[in-house]
Amino acid sequence: MDELPLILVIEDEHAIQGIVDDALTEGGFATDILSSGEEALTLFLGGLKNYKALVTDVALKGRLSGWEVAAQIRETDPAFPIVYMSGAHADEWASKGVPNSIMLAKPFAPAQLVTAIAQLLNSVPPAAT
Amino acid sequence: MDELPLILVIEDEHAIQGIVDDALTEGGFATDILSSGEEALTLFLGGLKNYKALVTDVALKGRLSGWEVAAQIRETDPAFPIVYMSGAHADEWASKGVPNSIMLAKPFAPAQLVTAIAQLLNSVPPAAT
Amino acid sequence: MDELPLILVIEDEHAIQGIVDDALTEGGFATDILSSGEEALTLFLGGLKNYKALVTDVALKGRLSGWEVAAQIRETDPAFPIVYMSGAHADEWASKGVPNSIMLAKPFAPAQLVTAIAQLLNSVPPAAT
Amino acid sequence: MDELPLILVIEDEHAIQGIVDDALTEGGFATDILSSGEEALTLFLGGLKNYKALVTDVALKGRLSGWEVAAQIRETDPAFPIVYMSGAHADEWASKGVPNSIMLAKPFAPAQLVTAIAQLLNSVPPAAT
Amino acid sequence: MDELPLILVIEDEHAIQGIVDDALTEGGFATDILSSGEEALTLFLGGLKNYKALVTDVALKGRLSGWEVAAQIRETDPAFPIVYMSGAHADEWASKGVPNSIMLAKPFAPAQLVTAIAQLLNSVPPAAT
Amino acid sequence: MDELPLILVIEDEHAIQGIVDDALTEGGFATDILSSGEEALTLFLGGLKNYKALVTDVALKGRLSGWEVAAQIRETDPAFPIVYMSGAHADEWASKGVPNSIMLAKPFAPAQLVTAIAQLLNSVPPAAT
């Protein structure tokens, strides 16, 4: 068990990057943290790394919102675990989120993020490795 | 208990309209069945009737797909129960469906539709009446 | 499989007694229908019959409300399945209902009642018989 | 939607065969009913038909129990929906059943069987057809 | 994300106050810890702070039990997350607890408390902020 | 609350023993860690300690696999919480695991293990103590 499960994170605020990185690292995950959806999609679709889940802010500075990144990732991998983080847009989850995702309304505790990731990973049916 | 819970149905194939109508009526629901998303949205947004759930085919003849109708309804009522029916597009649910909805892949049994509606209605937290 | 699963029903309106009885009978259940909580508790605690679930109106004419009957039954059998039916009091479920129960807000379709009973019975862990 | 979802049933008592067949047919399913696990496995593994779920008695007259048939089917299709029916062996489900299955303790109402099948089918993630 | 989610805690044993406070603080929550239900209700109903969940011992020294505090809070906010902690009274949860709550039987690990809070917060549908 | 909830762990790789022990201890659990299923079963059936859950590797060096240990424990205690850990055998969970268990596919983060234990313990109905 040399590697750690790798989580793809999209967040453009520096302070929240730190909170998310600390919480996931302390929970035993590895992280790749990008500040735009375009970069994150490029990495995900490139397929060089075996990401296990996406944690994404909803409101991003680039062209793509967190809703759009999640929907594009789900077109490639329909069961991919998604956690959205949002301040002002939390009520859009019901109409713009994808099924079987979790929304964290800011402010949230780091333990909520770690539990959300674990809940989603633990309920994905296991695949042969 | 004079009225029956009213279900909004969008389906443009005549044969499936009949199956859905029979299943829901026999389960004790009332139905309004429309053949386009535009008509259904007009009725829903008009607010003259108290719809309890939406059952919609995904591939519709008009401009709006079932995904789009569901998303627009959820913007007005974030907890509104949605059941999608689909033949060829069932795998798009994970990226285009809304959270807390159910997808029925055709062919399905009428009992699956009735159970899906009941599951969604039974888990919505009760509101004062 | 000679016997049918027996459901204890408390309802004092004659018309709704008929709807509930028809729905459960058609679903393959047997019913004992009482019009007061006192009578129902006497039968339940008497232990002569092996009831599988309780369906109770919330507002009853006697001294006991449906909330109180359910709480007393759960003191004897902590996992006993409970379905409440209510018109005007549906929002009290969150504060007066018991855990792992289902609330049906009137008007409901008979299929919702049958599905609610089946959901609760199907998730109770099986005991030896 | 010409075909109906096809359910594979294993039951060696004639009377219960009839109850199960009536319940599923009325719910809109098609059924293949066999009286031994060996026959059912042969049909399932032969792959000529597209079965959607297995309903099996636990205690069977042949060499294979219902637990064993279910485990062998899950080796081929890890998400295949399973409903066990049992009189005297219901408490073995926790140690001999497969994950994400449902146990119906006899006597059960036909509506419990139909709801169990629908719950399992409705929660399987949809695949392209 | 300057503020932390604030949890209202009712516990009259000093040693357990410390365990609960450490667990929640380490998980990233803020806490208000009171030793009686009366004080906690006064704060909750006063509305000066935006509490996200209640963690309450069941057996309290004052007039109100944890069951009663939880029921009163749910009358004001029907979806408010509740975690009960109990030693000797754990089996009363099924008859005296509120729906959609979690009971922790003592002794429990701090991680169980943090996960319980996170599970309840993560499954509440998000509201606009 | 002097004692901590005690978790029985079966793992024969020294490095993973350390990871599991650290994760559970930091979450507030006590652990007994054995390297074979035979030893663990002897302890469990001896009844000297009050174990709350089993965490077991699937592939063990002795005669018994993790699947078999879990099935034997469930024959004694049908609701006992089980977490399997597996590298190469994760897809066997659907056919060899027990109902209401959780499978962690290696590599997993320590937080996934702690959340899995907490989810299973938190959903077991409380018993009198």
Side-chain angles (χ1 to χ4, degrees):
Chain A
M1 223 167 83
D2 298 332
E3 357 150 37
L4 300 173
L6 181 56
I7 311 297
L8 182 59
V9 179
I10 316 176
E11 173 57 63
D12 49 21
E13 276 186 58
H14 193 70
I16 299 189
Q17 283 189 348
I19 292 171
V20 168
D21 194 24
D22 286 356
L24 292 176
T25 304
E26 194 177 320
F29 298 95
T31 57
D32 275 2
I33 304 189
L34 290 305
S35 55
S36 79
E38 287 80 356
E39 292 168 286
L41 263 184
T42 303
L43 280 180
F44 178 84
L45 297 172
L48 293 178
K49 291 194 182 164
N50 181 19
Y51 295 108
K52 297 293 191 190
L54 171 70
V55 175
T56 183
D57 197 355
V58 166
L60 298 169
K61 280 174 189 148
R63 189 176 44 84
L64 293 170
S65 71
W67 310 124
E68 291 164 323
V69 176
Q72 289 201 30
I73 282 180
R74 279 282 179 85
E75 283 179 20
T76 301
D77 182 345
F80 199 75
I82 311 276
V83 178
Y84 303 102
M85 304 178 292
S86 177
H89 310 267
D91 57 342
E92 296 176 14
W93 175 72
S95 58
K96 297 192 179 158
V98 294
N100 300 324
S101 60
I102 289 177
M103 159 64 79
L104 297 180
K106 296 178 188 172
F108 56 83
Q112 283 178 260
L113 173 59
V114 172
T115 301
I117 292 279
Q119 281 181 295
L120 289 168
L121 288 178
N122 290 354
S123 66
V124 167
T129 57
Chain B
M1 220 166 85
D2 298 333
E3 358 150 36
L4 301 173
L6 180 58
I7 311 298
L8 183 59
V9 179
I10 317 176
E11 173 59 64
D12 50 20
E13 277 187 58
H14 194 70
I16 298 190
Q17 282 188 347
I19 292 170
V20 168
D21 194 26
D22 286 357
L24 292 177
T25 303
E26 194 177 320
F29 298 94
T31 56
D32 274 2
I33 304 190
L34 290 305
S35 55
S36 80
E38 287 81 356
E39 292 167 286
L41 263 184
T42 302
L43 280 179
F44 178 84
L45 297 173
L48 293 178
K49 289 191 182 169
N50 182 18
Y51 295 109
K52 297 292 192 191
L54 171 71
V55 175
T56 182
D57 198 354
V58 166
L60 297 169
K61 280 173 189 150
R63 188 177 44 84
L64 293 170
S65 70
W67 310 124
E68 292 164 322
V69 176
Q72 288 201 30
I73 283 180
R74 279 282 179 88
E75 283 179 20
T76 299
D77 181 347
F80 199 75
I82 311 277
V83 177
Y84 303 102
M85 305 178 291
S86 177
H89 310 268
D91 57 343
E92 296 176 15
W93 174 73
S95 59
K96 297 193 179 156
V98 293
N100 300 324
S101 61
I102 290 177
M103 159 65 79
L104 297 179
K106 297 178 186 172
F108 57 84
Q112 283 177 259
L113 173 58
V114 172
T115 301
I117 292 279
Q119 282 181 296
L120 289 169
L121 289 178
N122 291 353
S123 66
V124 167
T129 56
Chain C
M1 223 167 83
D2 298 332
E3 0 150 33
L4 301 173
L6 180 57
I7 311 298
L8 183 59
V9 179
I10 316 176
E11 173 57 64
D12 49 20
E13 276 187 58
H14 194 70
I16 298 189
Q17 282 189 348
I19 292 171
V20 168
D21 193 26
D22 285 356
L24 292 177
T25 304
E26 194 177 320
F29 298 94
T31 56
D32 275 2
I33 305 189
L34 289 305
S35 54
S36 78
E38 287 81 356
E39 292 167 287
L41 263 185
T42 302
L43 280 179
F44 179 84
L45 297 173
L48 292 178
K49 291 193 181 167
N50 181 17
Y51 295 108
K52 296 294 191 189
L54 171 71
V55 175
T56 184
D57 198 354
V58 166
L60 297 170
K61 280 172 189 151
R63 189 176 43 86
L64 294 170
S65 71
W67 309 124
E68 290 164 322
V69 176
Q72 288 200 30
I73 283 180
R74 278 282 179 87
E75 282 179 21
T76 300
D77 181 345
F80 199 75
I82 311 277
V83 177
Y84 303 101
M85 305 179 291
S86 178
H89 309 267
D91 57 343
E92 296 176 14
W93 175 72
S95 59
K96 297 192 179 157
V98 293
N100 300 323
S101 61
I102 290 177
M103 160 64 79
L104 297 180
K106 298 178 185 172
F108 57 82
Q112 284 177 259
L113 173 59
V114 172
T115 301
I117 291 279
Q119 281 181 295
L120 289 170
L121 289 178
N122 291 354
S123 66
V124 168
T129 56
Chain D
M1 223 167 84
D2 298 333
E3 359 150 35
L4 301 173
L6 181 57
I7 311 298
L8 182 59
V9 179
I10 317 176
E11 173 59 63
D12 49 21
E13 277 187 59
H14 193 71
I16 297 190
Q17 283 189 347
I19 293 171
V20 168
D21 194 25
D22 285 357
L24 293 176
T25 304
E26 193 177 321
F29 298 94
T31 57
D32 275 2
I33 304 189
L34 290 305
S35 55
S36 79
E38 288 80 357
E39 292 168 287
L41 263 185
T42 303
L43 280 179
F44 179 84
L45 297 172
L48 293 178
K49 290 193 181 167
N50 182 19
Y51 295 109
K52 297 293 191 190
L54 170 71
V55 175
T56 183
D57 197 355
V58 166
L60 298 169
K61 281 174 188 147
R63 187 176 45 83
L64 293 170
S65 71
W67 310 124
E68 291 165 323
V69 176
Q72 288 200 31
I73 282 180
R74 279 283 178 87
E75 282 179 21
T76 300
D77 181 345
F80 199 75
I82 312 278
V83 177
Y84 302 102
M85 305 178 291
S86 177
H89 310 268
D91 57 343
E92 296 176 16
W93 174 73
S95 59
K96 296 192 179 158
V98 293
N100 300 324
S101 61
I102 289 177
M103 158 65 78
L104 297 180
K106 295 179 187 171
F108 57 82
Q112 283 178 259
L113 173 59
V114 172
T115 301
I117 292 279
Q119 281 181 296
L120 289 169
L121 289 178
N122 290 354
S123 67
V124 167
T129 56
Chain E
M1 222 167 84
D2 298 332
E3 359 150 36
L4 302 172
L6 180 58
I7 311 298
L8 182 59
V9 179
I10 316 176
E11 173 58 64
D12 50 20
E13 276 187 59
H14 193 71
I16 298 189
Q17 283 189 348
I19 292 171
V20 168
D21 193 26
D22 285 356
L24 293 177
T25 304
E26 195 177 319
F29 298 95
T31 56
D32 275 1
I33 305 190
L34 290 304
S35 55
S36 79
E38 287 81 357
E39 293 167 286
L41 264 184
T42 302
L43 280 179
F44 179 84
L45 297 173
L48 292 178
K49 291 194 181 166
N50 181 18
Y51 295 108
K52 296 294 191 189
L54 171 71
V55 175
T56 183
D57 198 355
V58 166
L60 297 171
K61 279 172 189 151
R63 189 176 45 84
L64 293 171
S65 71
W67 309 124
E68 290 164 322
V69 176
Q72 288 200 30
I73 283 180
R74 279 282 179 86
E75 283 179 20
T76 300
D77 182 345
F80 199 75
I82 312 277
V83 177
Y84 303 102
M85 306 179 290
S86 178
H89 310 268
D91 56 343
E92 296 176 14
W93 174 73
S95 60
K96 297 193 179 157
V98 294
N100 301 323
S101 61
I102 289 178
M103 161 64 79
L104 297 180
K106 296 179 187 172
F108 57 82
Q112 283 177 260
L113 173 59
V114 173
T115 302
I117 291 280
Q119 281 181 295
L120 289 169
L121 288 179
N122 291 353
S123 65
V124 168
T129 56
Chain F
M1 220 166 87
D2 298 332
E3 359 151 34
L4 301 172
L6 180 58
I7 311 298
L8 182 59
V9 179
I10 317 176
E11 174 58 64
D12 50 21
E13 276 187 60
H14 193 71
I16 298 190
Q17 282 188 350
I19 292 171
V20 167
D21 194 25
D22 286 355
L24 292 177
T25 303
E26 194 176 322
F29 298 95
T31 56
D32 274 2
I33 305 189
L34 290 305
S35 56
S36 79
E38 288 80 355
E39 292 167 286
L41 263 184
T42 302
L43 279 180
F44 179 84
L45 297 173
L48 292 178
K49 290 194 183 166
N50 181 19
Y51 295 109
K52 297 292 191 189
L54 171 70
V55 175
T56 183
D57 197 356
V58 165
L60 298 169
K61 280 173 189 150
R63 187 175 46 83
L64 293 170
S65 71
W67 310 124
E68 291 163 322
V69 175
Q72 288 200 29
I73 282 179
R74 279 283 179 87
E75 283 179 21
T76 299
D77 181 345
F80 199 75
I82 312 278
V83 177
Y84 303 102
M85 305 178 290
S86 177
H89 310 268
D91 57 343
E92 297 176 13
W93 174 72
S95 59
K96 297 192 179 158
V98 293
N100 300 323
S101 61
I102 289 177
M103 160 64 79
L104 296 180
K106 296 178 187 172
F108 57 84
Q112 283 177 259
L113 173 58
V114 173
T115 301
I117 292 279
Q119 282 181 296
L120 289 169
L121 288 178
N122 291 353
S123 65
V124 166
T129 56

